[in-house]
Structure formats: structure tokens, C-alpha cells
């Protein structure tokens, strides 16, 4: 924790990495699924569910951003921004600020600011934070992100090959034989591996952490597609 010294508004310095990540999260608020529901027409039960989902998906991102900012301001910043103002902005008491985050958030932010640790160690405590949110925080992070994306693409291609071999993507059976539509079966078994792009919506859940990949499939995919990535894979997964 910092020494507790609070500075004047003009004395507080916001690290570029912190500002970059938070701004990326704010941008992400408008890009996540589900899209904004249209106004109800007739029956409204489905609209209510869509509206709640729309609010919930965005609330999670903003909650993570608030945890990030509060943890940095209270535990790492030196001098710290005035805690009274920070608490008032959230409508809580100063003592309640500590409940906005936990120690894993603080450790992750130290890695972010000090350019240490892996991307997984930074994003893991924040449920809605992706590696792409860290883009442009440093050249080494950008390089790590590029390698992670290539790993994801190689994994996705290899995963599809394996799925086809065992029949997951086989043509749909006749209606009398099929229990569920093929698109539902596929959505349950796969992730969306699309690279993060501003303005793009993602129909499936994207993997955030390297630990979410099957190690054996990933190693086979890298061995076949780009063996030079194997060392990075082993280093980054061992760190977790």
C-alpha cells in the first residue's frame, strides 16, 4: 500500500497504462453482446430478458473498471487522489472503498504498471478484461498479444479439424433423429476465437486466459502451425 499521502488534484499522475486500459474498457461497453434490444412490440417477456442482459453485460465491465481505478488510487498511486472525493463519486464512505477490490486486483495492477508478469496475471482478477484491452500499454505487451492471437487462431483451426474428425460438425441428422439443432450443439462446444476489433460484436464467449485452452490440443496446434511459439506457451502457462 502507498504511504497514504494524498496530493492535490494537479499533483496526481495517472499512468498511461492505467488510462489506456480503462478507456479500452469503456469502448468495449458498447461492443459486447447482446446488442441493444429494440422497443417491445406486442408480447414483452422476451424484451425484458434481452433488456436485462444488455444492462448486465455492460454493468460487469463498468464494475471491473471501477475496481481497477479504486484499487490503483488507494493502493498504488503516490501521491493518492483525495480519498474523500473518490468515495463521494461512488456514493460510499471512505472506509467502504476497500470493498471495491481485493488483493489480486492490486497485484495485477502492479504487474501492469511495472511491466512485469504475464498478461494472464494482469487480466485474471478482472472478469471482463481481455488481453486486447492491454494493447498499446507497452511494446512488449503488444508483442505478447500478437503471439497470443496467433496461438488462438492456430488452436481454433486445429480444434475444428479434431471436431470434424469425431463428428461434432457432421451434417445435421433428420429431424426425427436430431435432439438439438447443429448450431446449438456447436455453440456449446466452441468459443469465439475472433480477434478483438472495435465496433465488432462477438456471438460466442471468447477465451480470456491461456488456462482455458486444452494444453495437449494447443501444443499439437503450435507444433503443426508455428513451433517457435511453443517456448512462449510453456513460459506463460508455467507462470500461472
Amino acid at each position: 500500500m502507498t504511504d497514504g499521502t494524498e496530493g492535490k488534484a494537479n499533483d496526481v499522475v495517472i499512468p498511461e497504462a492505467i488510462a489506456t486500459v480503462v478507456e479500452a474498457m469503456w469502448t468495449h461497453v458498447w461492443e459486447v453482446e447482446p446488442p441493444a434490444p429494440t422497443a417491445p412490440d406486442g408480447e414483452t417477456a422476451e424484451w425484458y430478458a434481452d433488456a436485462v442482459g444488455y444492462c448486465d453485460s455492460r454493468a460487469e465491465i463498468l464494475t471491473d473498471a471501477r475496481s481497477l481505478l479504486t484499487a490503483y488510487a488507494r493502493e498504488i498511486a503516490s501521491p493518492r487522489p483525495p480519498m474523500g472525493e473518490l468515495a463521494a463519486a461512488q456514493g460510499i464512505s471512505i472506509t467502504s472503498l476497500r470493498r471495491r477490490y481485493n488483493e489480486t486486483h492490486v497485484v495485477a495492477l502492479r504487474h501492469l504498471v511495472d511491466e512485469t508478469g504475464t498478461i494472464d496475471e494482469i487480466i485474471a482478477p478482472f472478469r471482463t478484461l481481455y488481453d486486447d484491452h492491454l494493447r498499446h500499454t507497452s511494446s512488449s505487451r503488444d508483442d505478447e498479444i500478437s503471439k497470443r492471437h496467433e496461438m488462438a487462431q492456430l488452436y481454433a483451426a486445429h480444434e475444428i479439424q479434431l471436431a470434424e474428425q469425431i463428428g461434432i460438425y457432421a451434417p445435421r441428422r433428420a429431424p426425427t433423429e436430431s435432439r438439438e439443432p447443429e448450431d446449438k450443439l456447436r455453440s456449446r462446444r466452441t468459443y469465439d476465437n475472433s480477434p478483438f476489433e472495435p465496433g465488432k460484436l462477438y456471438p460466442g464467449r471468447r477465451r480470456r486466459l491461456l488456462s482455458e485452452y486444452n494444453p495437449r490440443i494447443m501444443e499439437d496446434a503450435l507444433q503443426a502451425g508455428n513451433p517457435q511459439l511453443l517456448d512462449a506457451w510453456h513460459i506463460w502457462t508455467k507462470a500461472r
Side-chain angles (χ1 to χ4, degrees), residues 2-16 18-19 69-86:
T2 64
D3 60 10
T5 301
E6 294 186 5
K8 297 179 181 180
N10 293 335
D11 296 332
V12 178
V13 178
I14 307 298
E16 185 175 351
I18 295 293
L69 289 167
T70 304
Y72 178 80
R74 189 174 184 274
E75 302 288 345
I76 302 176
S78 182
R80 301 193 303 179
M83 293 295 103
E85 294 181 8
L86 190 64

Side-chain angles (χ1 to χ4, degrees), residues 147-155 218 222 229 233 236:
K147 290 180 179 178
R148 287 168 64 101
H149 282 192
E150 184 176 355
M151 289 179 184
Q153 291 166 358
L154 291 172
Y155 185 98
M218 178 62 85
L222 298 183
L229 291 174
W233 163 258
W236 294 339

Side-chain angles (χ1 to χ4, degrees), residues 25-32 54 58 61 199-201:
M25 295 175 77
W26 288 340
T27 301
H28 193 188
V29 166
W30 306 111
E31 298 163 358
V32 296
Y54 178 84
R58 285 147 183 81
I61 298 174
K200 180 174 181 180
L201 298 175

Side-chain angles (χ1 to χ4, degrees), residues 33-40 43-58:
E33 289 280 13
T38 56
E43 295 185 9
T44 59
E46 184 176 350
W47 179 85
Y48 276 117
D50 291 343
V52 170
Y54 178 84
C55 296
D56 186 67
S57 59
R58 285 147 183 81

Side-chain angles (χ1 to χ4, degrees), residues 13-221:
V13 178
I14 307 298
E16 185 175 351
I18 295 293
T20 298
V21 171
V22 172
E23 289 175 358
M25 295 175 77
W26 288 340
T27 301
H28 193 188
V29 166
W30 306 111
E31 298 163 358
V32 296
E33 289 280 13
T38 56
D41 181 15
E43 295 185 9
T44 59
E46 184 176 350
W47 179 85
Y48 276 117
D50 291 343
V52 170
Y54 178 84
C55 296
D56 186 67
S57 59
R58 285 147 183 81
E60 282 192 320
I61 298 174
L62 294 175
T63 297
D64 270 348
R66 183 182 64 187
S67 296
L68 187 157
L69 289 167
T70 304
Y72 178 80
R74 189 174 184 274
E75 302 288 345
I76 302 176
S78 182
R80 301 193 303 179
M83 293 295 103
E85 294 181 8
L86 190 64
Q90 301 181 46
I92 60 176
S93 65
I94 293 178
T95 55
S96 295
L97 287 173
R98 184 63 183 84
R99 301 191 185 99
R100 294 298 199 197
Y101 60 91
N102 58 47
E103 186 59 28
T104 62
H105 293 123
V106 178
V107 172
L109 293 177
R110 291 193 188 280
H111 282 312
L112 173 62
V113 174
D114 296 339
E115 296 187 25
T116 58
T118 66
I119 285 180
D120 271 16
E121 289 175 309
I122 295 173
I123 68 176
F126 302 94
R127 294 178 56 189
T128 62
L129 197 61
Y130 285 84
D131 52 9
D132 304 272
H133 292 125
L134 273 57
R135 192 176 294 281
H136 306 311
T137 57
S138 74
S139 58
S140 61
R141 293 295 181 214
D142 286 349
D143 180 62
E144 188 175 349
I145 290 169
S146 296
K147 290 180 179 178
R148 287 168 64 101
H149 282 192
E150 184 176 355
M151 289 179 184
Q153 291 166 358
L154 291 172
Y155 185 98
H158 193 67
E159 188 179 41
I160 290 174
Q161 291 178 357
L162 293 177
E164 290 173 340
Q165 290 174 13
I166 62 177
I168 291 179
Y169 293 166
R172 185 165 38 177
R173 296 185 295 252
T176 55
E177 301 176 2
S178 177
R179 294 182 179 179
E180 290 186 285
E182 181 185 355
D183 57 347
K184 287 188 177 181
L185 289 172
R186 180 177 298 197
S187 67
R188 288 186 178 185
R189 294 181 172 89
T190 63
Y191 289 79
D192 177 10
N193 291 286
S194 306
F196 179 92
E197 297 178 12
K200 180 174 181 180
L201 298 175
Y202 299 95
R205 188 171 79 83
R206 299 177 63 224
R207 289 182 175 89
R208 290 197 318 125
L209 308 174
L210 296 184
S211 60
E212 294 178 341
Y213 293 92
N214 181 299
R216 183 172 180 179
I217 294 178
M218 178 62 85
E219 290 181 359
D220 289 346

